Amino acid sequence: AQTVTQSQPEMSVQEAETVTLSCTYDTSENNYYLFWYKQPPSRQMILVIRQEAYKQQNATENRFSVNFQKAAKSFSLKISDSQLGDTAMYFCAFMKTSSGTYKYIFGTGTRLKVLA
Amino acid sequence: GAGVSQTPSNKVTEKGKYVELRCDPISGHTALYWYRQSLGQGPEFLIYFQGTGAADDSGLPNDRFFAVRPEGSVSTLKIQRTERGDSAVYLCASSLTGPYTGELFFGEGSRLTVL
């Protein structure tokens, strides 16, 4: 069974600084997707960034980028130029794409607080 | 509507009662997911529908939990004989089928409190 581990329950960062959130996962699959989702205090989760396992190039979305290390099964999220609106829970998620089913497994989350 | 809609947003019930939670996904999304999220925890997978059928229900904790999606659109999560441990936020999400999108669109959740 796949598992996703986020070892940092809480983190804080000064506004405009850079922060990295960690995620590791365990799978025997070769084809899968990895995601970072953000859940602000209002509760609705939104996608931040995704990475296809077959792509070696790390995904980037504006201030958000990932460091994907497939052999190490590591998928960290880097937030540059942190903004107050980045304060939220961040969840790492795994989805395998074999056998035609698309089940997402989430980690326990990291609570990020951006300080003014 | 443009997004995933969940009703009710809040439900308070007594132990032993029956509850239904409704999810209306984004139009055209064939995949629908139910997750349960306890305070301070990540979403816990319950069940996933592809069209009308349950493609994976391995996350349903016991036979008190049941979900349907009879016409491949709206889904209802049904909980019988509720227990205090069922208290959580129940999240629904939908997506287009296939790995090329991969993005889940979440509703705001239904907060269930069992007294």
Side-chain angles (χ1 to χ4, degrees):
Chain A
Q2 290 78 24
T3 58
V4 177
T5 302
Q6 294 179 250
S7 59
Q8 305 153 313
E10 293 187 4
M11 293 192 72
S12 62
V13 62
Q14 289 293 135
E15 198 175 7
E17 297 293 309
T18 296
V19 64
T20 298
L21 308 183
S22 300
C23 173
T24 58
Y25 58 96
D26 186 23
T27 185
S28 58
E29 301 284 331
N30 194 45
N31 298 315
Y32 52 88
Y33 279 60
L34 295 162
F35 307 85
W36 280 97
Y37 279 85
K38 170 184 177 181
Q39 188 176 41
S42 64
R43 201 164 76 197
Q44 190 165 21
M45 279 217 279
I46 55 174
L47 177 68
V48 175
I49 197 166
R50 75 175 139 222
Q51 175 80 42
E52 296 90 334
Y54 65 86
K55 289 187 178 179
Q56 291 187 336
Q57 186 172 7
N58 289 324
T60 61
E61 287 286 343
N62 301 312
R63 298 182 296 108
F64 299 88
S65 62
V66 299
N67 183 3
F68 174 47
Q69 302 289 329
K70 190 172 184 179
K73 297 180 182 174
S74 170
F75 182 62
S76 61
L77 173 70
K78 185 171 83 170
I79 306 174
S80 304
D81 185 27
S82 297
Q83 301 175 359
L84 296 178
D86 295 335
T87 293
M89 283 289 288
Y90 286 81
F91 294 99
C92 179
F94 169 97
M95 182 190 76
K96 72 173 185 178
T97 57
S98 62
S99 68
T101 64
Y102 308 106
K103 176 178 171 180
Y104 297 73
I105 303 298
F106 286 82
T108 53
T110 296
R111 184 178 303 279
L112 176 67
K113 188 170 185 178
V114 180
L115 307 171
Chain B
V4 177
S5 175
Q6 291 189 247
T7 55
S9 55
N10 283 285
K11 175 72 177 178
V12 180
T13 190
E14 294 179 343
K15 180 175 177 294
K17 298 290 189 182
Y18 168 82
V19 299
E20 289 189 352
L21 307 177
R22 175 189 166 104
C23 173
D24 198 344
I26 292 173
S27 177
H29 281 192
T30 56
L32 185 146
Y33 299 78
W34 283 101
Y35 285 85
R36 178 168 68 177
Q37 188 174 24
S38 301
L39 190 63
Q41 299 297 312
E44 174 193 3
F45 173 79
L46 296 177
I47 187 169
Y48 149 55
F49 287 90
Q50 191 63 259
T52 60
D56 188 332
D57 64 357
S58 61
L60 294 177
N62 51 59
D63 61 5
R64 295 187 298 106
F65 288 75
F66 189 69
V68 296
R69 194 185 185 200
E71 298 179 357
S73 178
V74 171
S75 176
T76 304
L77 179 65
K78 308 180 180 192
I79 310 174
Q80 298 178 321
R81 305 183 303 280
T82 52
E83 299 177 356
R84 292 194 179 88
D86 298 335
S87 296
V89 175
Y90 289 81
L91 297 173
C92 177
S94 69
S95 75
L96 293 169
T97 301
Y100 307 106
T101 58
E103 181 175 359
L104 286 179
F105 294 83
F106 282 85
E108 294 194 357
S110 293
R111 183 181 299 280
L112 174 65
T113 303
V114 182
L115 300 177

